[in-house]
Amino acid sequence: MANIDKKLKTIAVGAFLWLLVIVYILTYLHFSAENKQAQRELEYLKAHQRVAQQRLERHQQWERTMQQQRLEREFNQGRIIGADGRVVQ
């Protein structure tokens, strides 16, 4: 009888340890998947931020180009705009 109790305890301890190992593996896999998803989302947000920054830079460059062209046209027409906004002849 003592032999059977000892075997049952050994089996119970072994099963418990295997259960702990399985829980550890599942927990690790779960958090690993969550971490990968968070990294993907972060990359997605960074990419959108880069695109928005590039769009803003292109718009600012376009505005500078338009301003330069306007000033060149006005200069070619014989008018020069001063720093205060008045026409200087």
Side-chain angles (χ1 to χ4, degrees), residues 25-43:
I25 291 170
L26 291 176
T27 304
Y28 174 79
L29 291 175
H30 173 73
F31 284 110
S32 176
E34 278 189 358
N35 187 38
K36 286 180 184 178
Q37 181 64 26
Q39 290 296 326
R40 279 189 222 107
E41 290 175 5
L42 182 62
E43 277 300 314

Side-chain angles (χ1 to χ4, degrees), residues 1-2 14 17 22-25 29-32 39-40 44-45 56-58 62 64 66-67 72-73 75 78 86 88:
M1 197 68 165
L17 290 176
I22 290 170
V23 167
Y24 173 78
I25 291 170
L29 291 175
H30 173 73
F31 284 110
S32 176
Q39 290 296 326
R40 279 189 222 107
Y44 178 81
L45 292 174
L56 176 63
E57 289 171 1
R58 282 194 307 268
W62 177 81
R64 286 190 295 269
M66 292 295 113
Q67 176 71 7
E72 287 175 1
R73 280 193 308 273
F75 178 78
R86 294 183 297 144
V88 178

